[in-house]
Amino acid sequence: MPSSIESADSAEQVRPVTGPVPWVAMYHSVGDCSDDPYRITVTPERLERQLGWLRRRGLRGVSVGELIAARARGEGRRLVGLTFDDGYADFLDHALPLLDRWGCGATLFVLPGRLGGHNDWDPLGPRKPLLTADGIRRAAAGGVEIGSHGLTHVDLTKADPATLAAETVQSRARLEELIQAPVGGFCYPYGTVDGRAVDAVRAAGYGYACAIDPGDLNGVHALPRVHVGQHDRAPHLFLKYRLHRLRRRPVEGL
């Protein structure tokens, strides 16, 4: 993992010829989706089918750090970034074994200010437990790239200067102390991003950051992603993959 992160940090310096925009899939929870008002959950069975679809098409899921490092070398056209936001506890029981089974990597964006807590930012529920410190260390030991999702899941575009610093600088410091390894990736809570948030994330030392649809801010510190949900079967995945590459602007240097 450190080598991927270090490579991601140097990706901006390498600046290869820009190619098609990298495909980065956005997941959240993996488990029971019978009560899922925000459409953030996929069942283990659906995730397995989706990972199988990738591999049958000659694609392989990897962490965002590995994806950026490969693209910086002029490689990685058959790699897909897999991201899991919020750091739900079900990642260890349901997602990690499936990633191992299909030979895939992933980036797990966690909240060091809510260790062992719940997704209290979702007013409609249901309450889902988040990973503890030990759970995050277990994920890292399993080869998963650990990234920051901020400290407590705050919309950075609405944060005051002190909160903005805590959510970017402090979250990285806490995670690096927790896993005893560099943390090179950030993910904007709610996917919301503006120039001020991008500047804060860059200044905090992250090599890359993930958004959803960053618009004109599109870049290594505001990477576009595609939501993948429970109802995404093979035809939907194919369309999302193709449309993402057609509609999204290339990321400079990637």
Side-chain angles (χ1 to χ4, degrees):
M1 181 175 63
S3 61
S4 293
I5 294 171
E6 291 166 3
S7 297
D9 287 334
S10 64
E12 290 183 285
Q13 302 173 10
V14 176
R15 296 291 186 192
V17 176
T18 299
V21 61
W23 205 67
V24 181
M26 178 180 64
Y27 288 94
H28 290 78
S29 174
V30 182
D32 178 12
C33 63
S34 58
D35 183 11
D36 188 31
Y38 297 102
R39 298 172 59 236
I40 62 168
T41 308
V42 298
T43 63
E45 294 77 15
R46 180 63 63 202
L47 177 60
E48 179 153 38
R49 293 189 185 101
Q50 291 166 347
L51 295 177
W53 178 87
L54 287 176
R55 298 314 302 265
R56 286 190 297 274
R57 295 191 61 82
L59 303 171
R60 183 168 68 90
V62 297
S63 70
V64 180
E66 182 175 346
L67 175 64
I68 291 176
R71 304 265 300 202
R73 298 190 302 267
E75 304 169 359
R77 292 296 185 264
R78 306 299 292 175
L79 299 181
V80 171
L82 298 181
T83 62
F84 292 80
D85 292 8
D86 302 334
Y88 291 102
D90 55 33
F91 179 87
L92 289 177
D93 293 331
H94 301 312
L96 188 56
L98 293 176
L99 292 168
D100 289 341
R101 183 180 305 169
W102 287 97
C104 293
T107 300
L108 178 64
F109 292 113
V110 300
L111 298 156
R114 290 184 180 267
L115 299 175
H118 295 80
N119 57 328
D120 297 327
W121 59 88
D122 287 335
L124 298 181
R127 297 281 73 84
K128 288 177 174 282
L130 304 176
L131 288 166
T132 62
D134 181 64
I136 292 173
R137 283 191 288 262
R138 286 172 57 194
V144 174
E145 179 188 23
I146 302 299
S148 171
H149 201 29
L151 200 59
T152 58
H153 205 284
V154 169
D155 183 345
L156 298 190
T157 66
K158 300 176 182 178
D160 59 50
T163 301
L164 190 58
E167 294 290 327
T168 55
V169 178
Q170 290 185 29
S171 64
R172 185 179 185 219
R174 287 198 196 183
L175 284 177
E176 290 185 335
E177 181 178 4
L178 192 158
I179 64 174
Q180 292 295 293
V183 171
F186 187 88
C187 177
Y188 299 98
Y190 306 103
T192 55
V193 59
D194 59 13
R196 181 167 157 268
V198 170
D199 289 344
V201 167
R202 186 187 292 110
Y206 295 96
Y208 74 85
C210 289
I212 298 177
D213 185 5
D216 292 340
L217 295 170
N218 191 71
V220 174
H221 284 91
L223 292 168
R225 292 186 296 168
V226 177
H227 167 74
V228 178
Q230 175 65 12
H231 300 296
D232 286 323
R233 296 172 172 81
H236 306 100
L237 291 173
F238 176 76
L239 285 174
K240 285 187 173 185
Y241 180 75
R242 292 297 301 273
L243 290 175
H244 178 75
R245 294 167 71 91
L246 290 172
R247 292 178 176 175
R248 301 287 193 185
R249 291 181 302 135
V251 177
E252 183 180 354
L254 293 180

